[in-house]
mmCIF file of all heavy atoms in Angstrom:
data_model
loop_
_atom_site.group_PDB
_atom_site.id
_atom_site.type_symbol
_atom_site.label_atom_id
_atom_site.label_comp_id
_atom_site.label_asym_id
_atom_site.label_seq_id
_atom_site.Cartn_x
_atom_site.Cartn_y
_atom_site.Cartn_z
ATOM 1 N N ASP G 122 -3.977 -2.966 -3.101
ATOM 2 C CA ASP G 122 -3.926 -1.583 -3.599
ATOM 3 C C ASP G 122 -4.466 -0.622 -2.649
ATOM 4 O O ASP G 122 -3.979 0.597 -2.467
ATOM 5 C CB ASP G 122 -4.509 -1.485 -4.878
ATOM 6 C CG ASP G 122 -3.593 -1.821 -6.051
ATOM 7 O OD1 ASP G 122 -2.312 -1.751 -5.831
ATOM 8 O OD2 ASP G 122 -4.011 -1.923 -7.218
ATOM 9 N N GLU G 123 -5.677 -0.976 -2.006
ATOM 10 C CA GLU G 123 -6.299 -0.022 -1.085
ATOM 11 C C GLU G 123 -5.326 0.371 0.109
ATOM 12 O O GLU G 123 -5.503 1.451 0.713
ATOM 13 C CB GLU G 123 -7.462 -0.664 -0.459
ATOM 14 C CG GLU G 123 -8.611 -0.981 -1.554
ATOM 15 C CD GLU G 123 -9.786 -1.629 -0.897
ATOM 16 O OE1 GLU G 123 -9.535 -2.544 0.022
ATOM 17 O OE2 GLU G 123 -10.915 -1.499 -1.260
ATOM 18 N N PHE G 124 -4.413 -0.327 0.495
ATOM 19 C CA PHE G 124 -3.506 -0.092 1.497
ATOM 20 C C PHE G 124 -2.675 1.121 1.223
ATOM 21 O O PHE G 124 -2.261 1.901 2.061
ATOM 22 C CB PHE G 124 -2.561 -1.250 1.636
ATOM 23 C CG PHE G 124 -1.439 -1.037 2.699
ATOM 24 C CD1 PHE G 124 -1.575 -1.328 4.066
ATOM 25 C CD2 PHE G 124 -0.088 -0.708 2.308
ATOM 26 C CE1 PHE G 124 -0.709 -1.123 4.964
ATOM 27 C CE2 PHE G 124 0.818 -0.457 3.224
ATOM 28 C CZ PHE G 124 0.571 -0.668 4.530
ATOM 29 N N PHE G 125 -2.438 1.374 -0.090
ATOM 30 C CA PHE G 125 -1.612 2.484 -0.671
ATOM 31 C C PHE G 125 -2.465 3.766 -0.883
ATOM 32 O O PHE G 125 -1.876 4.721 -1.316
ATOM 33 C CB PHE G 125 -0.813 2.007 -1.917
ATOM 34 C CG PHE G 125 -0.029 0.921 -1.641
ATOM 35 C CD1 PHE G 125 -0.233 -0.261 -2.085
ATOM 36 C CD2 PHE G 125 1.262 1.126 -0.924
ATOM 37 C CE1 PHE G 125 0.602 -1.311 -1.916
ATOM 38 C CE2 PHE G 125 2.127 0.017 -0.668
ATOM 39 C CZ PHE G 125 1.837 -1.218 -1.142
ATOM 40 N N ILE G 126 -3.681 3.772 -0.562
ATOM 41 C CA ILE G 126 -4.434 4.933 -0.798
ATOM 42 C C ILE G 126 -4.516 5.788 0.538
ATOM 43 O O ILE G 126 -4.975 5.285 1.531
ATOM 44 C CB ILE G 126 -5.930 4.607 -1.245
ATOM 45 C CG1 ILE G 126 -5.883 3.791 -2.498
ATOM 46 C CG2 ILE G 126 -6.823 5.911 -1.277
ATOM 47 C CD1 ILE G 126 -7.217 3.333 -2.939
ATOM 48 N N GLY G 127 -4.141 6.973 0.425
ATOM 49 C CA GLY G 127 -4.125 7.963 1.567
ATOM 50 C C GLY G 127 -4.786 9.190 1.317
ATOM 51 O O GLY G 127 -5.340 9.321 0.210
ATOM 52 N N PRO G 128 -4.537 10.138 2.148
ATOM 53 C CA PRO G 128 -5.130 11.521 1.889
ATOM 54 C C PRO G 128 -4.684 12.026 0.624
ATOM 55 O O PRO G 128 -5.443 13.003 0.005
ATOM 56 C CB PRO G 128 -4.644 12.427 3.116
ATOM 57 C CG PRO G 128 -4.141 11.470 4.064
ATOM 58 C CD PRO G 128 -3.830 10.029 3.388
ATOM 59 N N GLU G 129 -3.558 11.847 0.172
ATOM 60 C CA GLU G 129 -3.053 12.379 -1.077
ATOM 61 C C GLU G 129 -3.339 11.519 -2.331
ATOM 62 O O GLU G 129 -2.669 11.695 -3.471
ATOM 63 C CB GLU G 129 -1.637 12.787 -0.924
ATOM 64 C CG GLU G 129 -1.291 13.645 0.107
ATOM 65 C CD GLU G 129 0.211 13.860 0.471
ATOM 66 O OE1 GLU G 129 1.003 13.495 -0.418
ATOM 67 O OE2 GLU G 129 0.587 14.639 1.363
ATOM 68 N N GLY G 130 -4.182 10.434 -2.048
ATOM 69 C CA GLY G 130 -4.323 9.519 -3.307
ATOM 70 C C GLY G 130 -3.429 8.327 -3.168
ATOM 71 O O GLY G 130 -3.077 7.927 -2.136
ATOM 72 N N TYR G 131 -3.467 7.613 -4.274
ATOM 73 C CA TYR G 131 -2.725 6.347 -4.407
ATOM 74 C C TYR G 131 -1.180 6.670 -4.561
ATOM 75 O O TYR G 131 -0.743 7.348 -5.361
ATOM 76 C CB TYR G 131 -3.118 5.677 -5.607
ATOM 77 C CG TYR G 131 -2.487 4.239 -5.824
ATOM 78 C CD1 TYR G 131 -2.986 3.150 -4.992
ATOM 79 C CD2 TYR G 131 -1.471 4.083 -6.695
ATOM 80 C CE1 TYR G 131 -2.365 1.910 -5.218
ATOM 81 C CE2 TYR G 131 -0.850 2.890 -6.857
ATOM 82 C CZ TYR G 131 -1.350 1.748 -6.165
ATOM 83 O OH TYR G 131 -0.787 0.541 -6.297
ATOM 84 N N LYS G 132 -0.367 5.944 -3.626
ATOM 85 C CA LYS G 132 0.938 6.136 -3.588
ATOM 86 C C LYS G 132 1.686 4.796 -3.308
ATOM 87 O O LYS G 132 1.761 4.309 -2.223
ATOM 88 C CB LYS G 132 1.441 7.196 -2.560
ATOM 89 C CG LYS G 132 2.877 7.373 -2.683
ATOM 90 C CD LYS G 132 3.299 8.557 -1.756
ATOM 91 C CE LYS G 132 4.850 8.840 -1.820
ATOM 92 N NZ LYS G 132 5.205 9.864 -0.786
ATOM 93 N N PHE G 133 1.885 4.059 -4.368
ATOM 94 C CA PHE G 133 2.643 2.680 -4.310
ATOM 95 C C PHE G 133 4.068 2.882 -3.696
ATOM 96 O O PHE G 133 4.794 3.604 -4.070
ATOM 97 C CB PHE G 133 2.527 2.012 -5.574
ATOM 98 C CG PHE G 133 3.076 0.624 -5.663
ATOM 99 C CD1 PHE G 133 2.389 -0.351 -5.122
ATOM 100 C CD2 PHE G 133 4.334 0.441 -6.014
ATOM 101 C CE1 PHE G 133 2.891 -1.690 -5.044
ATOM 102 C CE2 PHE G 133 4.869 -0.857 -6.067
ATOM 103 C CZ PHE G 133 4.149 -1.970 -5.429
ATOM 104 N N ASP G 134 4.371 1.868 -2.884
ATOM 105 C CA ASP G 134 5.719 1.783 -2.207
ATOM 106 C C ASP G 134 6.013 0.235 -2.219
ATOM 107 O O ASP G 134 5.407 -0.539 -1.401
ATOM 108 C CB ASP G 134 5.666 2.285 -0.814
ATOM 109 C CG ASP G 134 7.005 2.300 -0.186
ATOM 110 O OD1 ASP G 134 7.925 1.602 -0.608
ATOM 111 O OD2 ASP G 134 7.251 2.775 0.893
ATOM 112 N N ILE G 135 6.924 -0.197 -3.114
ATOM 113 C CA ILE G 135 7.297 -1.592 -3.208
ATOM 114 C C ILE G 135 7.768 -2.212 -1.940
ATOM 115 O O ILE G 135 7.555 -3.354 -1.640
ATOM 116 C CB ILE G 135 8.438 -1.749 -4.364
ATOM 117 C CG1 ILE G 135 8.514 -3.282 -4.635
ATOM 118 C CG2 ILE G 135 9.685 -1.152 -4.091
ATOM 119 C CD1 ILE G 135 7.451 -3.920 -5.468
ATOM 120 N N GLU G 136 8.431 -1.403 -1.044
ATOM 121 C CA GLU G 136 8.938 -1.620 0.161
ATOM 122 C C GLU G 136 7.851 -2.232 1.070
ATOM 123 O O GLU G 136 8.064 -2.934 2.014
ATOM 124 C CB GLU G 136 9.616 -0.574 0.910
ATOM 125 C CG GLU G 136 10.862 -0.034 0.066
ATOM 126 C CD GLU G 136 12.136 -0.801 0.286
ATOM 127 O OE1 GLU G 136 12.322 -1.266 1.375
ATOM 128 O OE2 GLU G 136 12.923 -0.934 -0.705
ATOM 129 N N LYS G 137 6.548 -1.753 0.882
ATOM 130 C CA LYS G 137 5.435 -2.110 1.824
ATOM 131 C C LYS G 137 4.563 -3.098 1.162
ATOM 132 O O LYS G 137 3.468 -3.267 1.731
ATOM 133 C CB LYS G 137 4.738 -0.706 2.040
ATOM 134 C CG LYS G 137 5.542 0.186 2.950
ATOM 135 C CD LYS G 137 4.802 1.363 3.395
ATOM 136 C CE LYS G 137 5.670 2.292 4.174
ATOM 137 N NZ LYS G 137 4.916 3.580 4.724
ATOM 138 N N LEU G 138 4.965 -3.764 0.076
ATOM 139 C CA LEU G 138 3.961 -4.616 -0.554
ATOM 140 C C LEU G 138 3.608 -5.847 0.249
ATOM 141 O O LEU G 138 2.479 -6.213 0.337
ATOM 142 C CB LEU G 138 4.553 -5.104 -1.876
ATOM 143 C CG LEU G 138 3.620 -5.930 -2.834
ATOM 144 C CD1 LEU G 138 2.377 -5.144 -3.138
ATOM 145 C CD2 LEU G 138 4.441 -6.171 -4.124
ATOM 146 N N GLY G 139 4.550 -6.347 0.921
ATOM 147 C CA GLY G 139 4.254 -7.507 1.896
ATOM 148 C C GLY G 139 3.369 -7.212 2.971
ATOM 149 O O GLY G 139 2.376 -7.896 3.301
ATOM 150 N N GLU G 140 3.477 -5.946 3.503
ATOM 151 C CA GLU G 140 2.675 -5.410 4.581
ATOM 152 C C GLU G 140 1.138 -5.157 3.968
ATOM 153 O O GLU G 140 0.228 -5.490 4.642
ATOM 154 C CB GLU G 140 3.152 -4.114 5.023
ATOM 155 C CG GLU G 140 2.369 -3.540 6.226
ATOM 156 C CD GLU G 140 3.052 -2.111 6.643
ATOM 157 O OE1 GLU G 140 4.296 -1.855 6.314
ATOM 158 O OE2 GLU G 140 2.329 -1.512 7.382
ATOM 159 N N ALA G 141 1.072 -4.787 2.786
ATOM 160 C CA ALA G 141 -0.122 -4.488 2.039
ATOM 161 C C ALA G 141 -0.906 -5.804 1.879
ATOM 162 O O ALA G 141 -2.098 -5.813 2.128
ATOM 163 C CB ALA G 141 0.049 -3.736 0.671
ATOM 164 N N HIS G 142 -0.285 -6.855 1.520
ATOM 165 C CA HIS G 142 -0.996 -8.110 1.416
ATOM 166 C C HIS G 142 -1.303 -8.722 2.610
ATOM 167 O O HIS G 142 -2.458 -9.403 2.713
ATOM 168 C CB HIS G 142 -0.087 -9.128 0.411
ATOM 169 C CG HIS G 142 -0.258 -8.875 -0.830
ATOM 170 N ND1 HIS G 142 -1.107 -9.201 -1.756
ATOM 171 C CD2 HIS G 142 0.764 -8.079 -1.805
ATOM 172 C CE1 HIS G 142 -1.005 -8.858 -2.991
ATOM 173 N NE2 HIS G 142 0.171 -8.207 -2.995
ATOM 174 N N LYS G 143 -0.589 -8.488 3.714
ATOM 175 C CA LYS G 143 -1.134 -8.934 5.050
ATOM 176 C C LYS G 143 -2.270 -8.196 5.442
ATOM 177 O O LYS G 143 -3.273 -8.763 6.043
ATOM 178 C CB LYS G 143 0.113 -8.854 6.052
ATOM 179 C CG LYS G 143 1.185 -9.759 5.937
ATOM 180 C CD LYS G 143 2.267 -9.541 6.874
ATOM 181 C CE LYS G 143 3.554 -10.497 6.551
ATOM 182 N NZ LYS G 143 4.668 -10.146 7.477
ATOM 183 N N TRP G 144 -2.322 -6.836 5.196
ATOM 184 C CA TRP G 144 -3.378 -6.065 5.538
ATOM 185 C C TRP G 144 -4.683 -6.544 4.885
ATOM 186 O O TRP G 144 -5.796 -6.570 5.303
ATOM 187 C CB TRP G 144 -3.024 -4.573 5.220
ATOM 188 C CG TRP G 144 -4.210 -3.606 5.378
ATOM 189 C CD1 TRP G 144 -4.483 -2.931 6.530
ATOM 190 C CD2 TRP G 144 -5.075 -3.280 4.342
ATOM 191 N NE1 TRP G 144 -5.566 -2.122 6.282
ATOM 192 C CE2 TRP G 144 -5.865 -2.202 4.940
ATOM 193 C CE3 TRP G 144 -5.209 -3.585 3.089
ATOM 194 C CZ2 TRP G 144 -6.929 -1.639 4.268
ATOM 195 C CZ3 TRP G 144 -6.228 -2.852 2.378
ATOM 196 C CH2 TRP G 144 -7.107 -1.970 2.963
ATOM 197 N N CYS G 145 -4.477 -6.842 3.527
ATOM 198 C CA CYS G 145 -5.615 -7.236 2.713
ATOM 199 C C CYS G 145 -6.240 -8.570 3.187
ATOM 200 O O CYS G 145 -7.395 -8.762 3.334
ATOM 201 C CB CYS G 145 -5.250 -7.423 1.258
ATOM 202 S SG CYS G 145 -6.573 -7.993 0.205
#
């Protein structure tokens, strides 16, 4: 979830979920 936190807050993108888990 932290992968999706940016300057504008939390913005989930299902297309980037795999990338988010690799980042984690």
Side-chain angles (χ1 to χ4, degrees):
D122 270 349
E123 293 176 328
F124 178 84
F125 299 106
I126 299 172
E129 298 175 13
Y131 182 81
K132 188 174 179 185
F133 180 75
D134 181 348
I135 190 78
E136 303 271 326
K137 295 183 179 179
L138 189 56
E140 185 180 347
H142 280 281
K143 288 178 188 175
W144 174 88
C145 181

